[in-house]
Amino acid sequence: MRRTRHLLTPNEPSEINIAPLLDVVFILLIFFIVTAVFVQETGIEVSKPRAASSGELEPRAVLLGIDPAGRVFYAGREIGPEGVRPVVSGLLETEPDRPVIIQSDAATPTQATVRVLDAAKQAGAQSVSLATTKEL
């Protein structure tokens, strides 16, 4: 039995099929998008107080921000001190062990910070912390 080899002539265009490569790239892209963890920001800039025992933020934490005037923010919108309980309890329904981190400005009155901390505890938060920056 004779085997013949098909050789391309200079006039025949060669073709590379990239469809399988594109399929793999899109599957990897979808995988990385689905498994990515995004940190929800408070939406305001605060000058956090300094502390020697400062640590890293947990990515799945509920972040609440308090500006120097005592206004409370979550995800870029103002919720006020009255809105802390409904927001935190709603977020804790799906994941009850999520920590709550309060990013309070250094110039915020202590009473405003305590009011937000108390509302988060009443909403069912097991862990409530204050965000600080590392002391130099």
Side-chain angles (χ1 to χ4, degrees), residues 38-93:
F38 298 102
V39 175
Q40 185 82 29
E41 294 292 328
T42 59
I44 60 169
E45 283 292 319
V46 293
S47 175
K48 294 180 248 174
R50 298 187 181 278
S53 62
S54 186
E56 293 293 318
L57 287 177
E58 189 172 335
R60 61 186 192 94
V62 177
L63 293 177
L64 300 172
I66 309 174
D67 69 357
R71 298 180 304 172
V72 182
F73 293 85
Y74 172 73
R77 61 185 172 88
E78 186 176 352
I79 60 172
E82 311 81 30
V84 172
R85 263 181 99 172
V87 167
V88 171
S89 64
L91 292 168
L92 294 178
E93 282 179 0

Side-chain angles (χ1 to χ4, degrees), residues 95-114:
E95 216 175 331
D97 63 334
R98 267 176 97 169
V100 175
I101 298 176
I102 300 170
Q103 292 183 330
S104 181
D105 195 277
T108 301
T110 307
Q111 184 60 43
T113 304
V114 170

Side-chain angles (χ1 to χ4, degrees), residues 13-17:
S14 62
E15 187 175 308
I16 298 174
N17 188 4

